[in-house]
Amino acid sequence: MEKMEGEEDATEKGLLLVNDEEINANTTPLLFFSTFIIVSASFTYGAAMGYTADTMHSIMTDLDLSLAQFSLFGSLSTFGGMFGSIFSAKAAAAFGYKMTLWLADLFCITGWLAIALAKDIIWLDMGRILVGIGVGLVSYVIPVYVAEITPKHVRGAFTFSNQLMQNFGIAIVYYFGNFVSWRTLALIGSIPCWIQVIGLFFIPESPRWLAKNDRDKEVEVVLQKLRGPNYDIVPEACEIKISVEASKRRSNISIRTLFKKKYAHQLTIGIGLMVLQQLCGSAGIGGYGTTIFNHAGFPARIGMMVLSFIVVPKSFMGLLLVDRWGRRPLLMASGSGLCMSCITLAVAFIVKDDPELGKITPILCFIGILSFTMMFAIGMGALPWIIMSEIFPMDIKVLAGSLVTITNWFTGWIANYCFNFMFFWSQTGTFIISAAVCGGTVVFTWWLVPETRGLTLEEIQQSFGNV
């Protein structure tokens, strides 16, 4: 009897060992390296978002710009991003994710160099548009590429690294913006693009893209490299091929197809989250933090340096929680925190002119911006992109991804351009509007957004009834 129990224990230990080996195989060094190279361009995305926060005064002084001219310059990255996003999904489908990222790097490097060398507003604006086109191209490709190469149990965390790198870019420009010129800051923004240009030569193409282009042998080779030599990739490869074949049978897709009833739920989620992300106040607080600090009477240099130290660690928290809590709880927690942060900022400017209560305006402003940045980093910044990369089936992913990404950039352009004018119109009113949008995010998520944690991309489509 003891012998049998010993054999059972040995068997259980053996099974545990096999499971441990499979888990280790799922997260191979190549998977980590590929994800790092893919999300490198997100640094430029973040640098572009935060570039105007510390450079407003120096650029306006050096190039003799008016507030309207600088507001236009600040918004042109999102305007360019809107054009880049129009072609991002189609370029990825036609040429592959790697080639699209190379093209995006070309735009970003050229744009940053144009900004760094600008002698007048024409070159400045041209550079900003080119950077915008580049980040518009990567905004769709990065989350989808990462989602397609990672196994389901770590897909959320790996895809969240996109936001982590964006926040790293924001942190770098926030910090170094206090010490270096705006021209040097532009050159810093281009560095990860050079890393990605070289690194893309050493990472594989997406298995699902290969399957869609009838390169079945390469699908299995790439999966084996990504999962490890001891992992059985046959079930996953078969699931991918079946899903792709099913999407090919429904390949006659037009823009009108997206608005059929069977896709209404997914499209509403994708577009809704992107609109809410851009209108929640992130464009203004992220892009014009120095202006807000100055109007509240808080030392802008101290405020921006503190933000630069906080934003990346908070992103790590989101990365750790996304596959533990799930998408829905984290998104609702983030929306609730953002709402409270905007209310705090509104109160700060309500009491600003009061002789007694006005003394707390600087600290309330600092608390509001700090908490907003933290809550945005752990959820609302990344989760709309993660969910977008998961919910659309292969047959409509290109069109739906393009539409959702264009919506994000168009809304971002409007929000970015209008923020300065709204802020000078009414600081309190601006943040009350943002608080209302953040509150709406919580309701929208609770009502419409499903949980996708722990499901394969194919299982998610089954849950929507599209397979």
Side-chain angles (χ1 to χ4, degrees):
M1 194 71 175
E2 292 179 359
K3 184 178 180 181
M4 289 179 63
E5 289 177 356
E7 288 176 352
E8 287 176 0
D9 290 341
T11 302
E12 289 177 2
K13 289 178 180 177
L15 288 172
L16 288 172
L17 181 60
V18 169
N19 289 335
D20 287 342
E21 287 176 354
E22 288 182 354
I23 292 172
N24 290 333
N26 279 336
T27 51
T28 59
L30 179 61
L31 182 62
F32 280 101
F33 178 74
S34 298
T35 303
F36 170 73
I37 293 300
I38 293 166
V39 302
S40 292
S42 298
F43 179 99
T44 287
Y45 192 167
M49 288 170 58
Y51 182 75
T52 54
D54 274 330
T55 59
M56 181 174 175
H57 180 264
S58 56
I59 292 178
M60 289 178 67
T61 301
D62 290 353
L63 299 182
D64 193 26
L65 304 184
S66 65
L67 177 64
Q69 287 175 317
F70 187 83
S71 294
L72 177 63
F73 165 71
S75 70
L76 284 178
S77 64
T78 46
F79 185 74
M82 183 173 61
F83 281 96
S85 66
I86 293 173
F87 304 103
S88 60
K90 290 186 178 294
F95 307 115
Y97 298 130
K98 290 172 63 175
M99 188 60 70
T100 306
L101 288 176
W102 269 318
L103 180 62
D105 289 331
L106 177 63
F107 278 108
C108 288
I109 291 170
T110 305
W112 283 121
L113 289 176
I115 292 173
L117 301 174
K119 298 298 183 183
D120 54 45
I121 192 172
I122 295 175
W123 282 98
L124 193 71
D125 288 349
M126 185 182 298
R128 188 75 168 167
I129 289 175
L130 290 174
V131 171
I133 293 173
V135 296
L137 285 169
V138 305
S139 61
Y140 168 83
V141 172
I142 291 175
V144 174
Y145 196 172
V146 175
E148 290 188 4
I149 66 172
T150 49
K152 62 182 181 181
H153 71 284
V154 293
R155 188 179 62 241
F158 273 72
T159 310
F160 206 99
S161 64
N162 174 35
Q163 180 66 22
L164 179 65
M165 191 60 79
Q166 282 183 31
N167 286 326
F168 186 60
I170 292 172
I172 290 296
V173 295
Y174 278 1
Y175 181 79
F176 284 101
N178 290 307
F179 307 107
V180 302
S181 72
W182 57 272
R183 297 183 188 276
T184 303
L185 204 60
L187 294 176
I188 292 173
S190 70
I191 293 174
C193 297
W194 294 104
I195 295 173
Q196 187 176 72
V197 166
I198 298 170
L200 285 171
F201 286 103
F202 303 99
I203 68 172
E205 186 56 84
S206 161
R208 286 173 175 80
W209 185 85
L210 293 171
K212 196 173 182 180
N213 286 271
D214 300 317
R215 293 159 64 174
D216 292 346
K217 290 184 179 180
E218 292 180 65
V219 171
E220 296 184 4
V221 172
V222 167
L223 272 177
Q224 198 71 72
K225 289 180 179 179
L226 289 169
R227 303 292 182 261
N230 298 322
Y231 184 74
D232 182 11
I233 52 91
V234 173
E236 185 177 0
C238 290
E239 191 176 26
I240 290 172
K241 291 173 185 177
I242 291 170
S243 175
V244 169
E245 286 302 318
S247 71
K248 284 182 178 179
R249 289 194 293 271
R250 303 190 299 264
S251 60
N252 188 21
I253 300 295
S254 65
I255 191 69
R256 293 177 60 186
T257 307
L258 291 180
F259 298 97
K260 288 184 176 180
K261 186 177 180 180
K262 68 185 225 177
Y263 298 129
H265 189 187
Q266 288 131 300
L267 203 61
T268 302
I269 293 168
I271 291 177
L273 287 178
M274 292 302 181
V275 170
L276 291 167
Q277 183 196 57
Q278 291 295 346
L279 296 183
C280 72
S282 59
I285 293 174
Y288 299 100
T290 298
T291 302
I292 301 172
F293 280 132
N294 285 334
H295 276 77
F298 190 89
R301 173 170 286 194
I302 295 175
M304 298 308 291
M305 286 192 66
V306 172
L307 291 182
S308 71
F309 290 125
I310 289 295
V311 66
V312 173
K314 278 299 174 183
S315 295
F316 270 111
M317 182 180 293
L319 186 147
L320 294 173
L321 292 177
V322 68
D323 282 319
R324 289 174 171 79
W325 282 20
R327 281 60 158 164
R328 272 171 56 88
L330 196 56
L331 197 55
M332 287 191 285
S334 177
S336 300
L338 291 172
C339 182
M340 295 304 299
S341 301
C342 290
I343 291 173
T344 302
L345 285 165
V347 171
F349 286 102
I350 286 175
V351 303
K352 180 183 177 183
D353 295 326
D354 187 278
E356 294 298 324
L357 295 177
K359 296 176 182 178
I360 65 172
T361 291
I363 191 64
L364 280 180
C365 177
F366 175 72
I367 292 171
I369 292 181
L370 184 63
S371 60
F372 185 98
T373 304
M374 290 162 57
M375 297 309 298
F376 188 80
I378 69 169
M380 198 60 185
L383 287 172
W385 293 104
I386 292 175
I387 293 169
M388 181 276 291
S389 72
E390 297 175 327
I391 61 175
F392 294 118
M394 289 293 293
D395 54 324
I396 68 162
K397 183 170 277 191
V398 171
L399 281 176
S402 295
L403 180 61
V404 169
T405 308
I406 291 167
T407 301
N408 180 278
W409 283 104
F410 178 74
T411 311
W413 172 50
I414 298 298
N416 199 299
Y417 181 72
C418 293
F419 178 80
N420 267 330
F421 301 106
M422 289 181 63
F423 187 73
F424 284 101
W425 159 70
S426 172
Q427 291 101 9
T428 301
T430 299
F431 293 117
I432 288 176
I433 293 171
S434 296
V437 173
C438 296
T441 301
V442 179
V443 177
F444 181 88
T445 303
W446 178 78
W447 191 259
L448 289 173
V449 180
E451 184 54 69
T452 58
R453 180 186 61 160
L455 300 176
T456 66
L457 298 180
E458 288 70 30
E459 288 169 343
I460 293 170
Q461 298 318 310
Q462 291 174 1
S463 71
F464 281 108
N466 292 323
V467 177

